[in-house]
Amino acid sequence: MSACKIPSPLARSPGLPKSPEGDPTFPEPWAAEAFAMTVHLHERGVFTWSEWAEALSTEVHKPGRAEDGSDYFNCWVTALSGLLVDKGIADADAILSLQKSWQRAAEATPHGRPIELENDPLR
């Protein structure tokens, strides 16, 4: 088996939606990007597997989460953001500000057009 065929431990995360073949599946492109970013950061040693597992488990098991798992990747992004803040790599206020900017950009983007941060009317 080549190195490309050896799945990251993150690809074996409990609860990760999978295809019938066992590959991760993503509801939207942003979820695939969040997954890839997490794998990359883990492989670069930014956080350990156990740190990731604890962060994701904390988010997935918080009260009020969707019973059907439809918010799984929201939990994923929250866990990743929290780890990056805890390690001093990202600033919580900057993450929140960027999240709000993307939301405004999405709301201001005409249907069928790509959502771009430049579409945020407050930028």
Side-chain angles (χ1 to χ4, degrees), residues 61-84:
H61 292 98
K62 280 187 176 174
R65 292 297 184 184
E67 288 185 27
D68 66 358
S70 60
D71 64 349
Y72 183 79
F73 283 105
N74 292 331
C75 295
W76 188 285
V77 170
T78 302
L80 179 58
S81 298
L83 265 178
L84 296 178

Side-chain angles (χ1 to χ4, degrees), residues 18-25:
K18 298 200 173 149
S19 71
E21 295 79 29
D23 298 320
T25 59

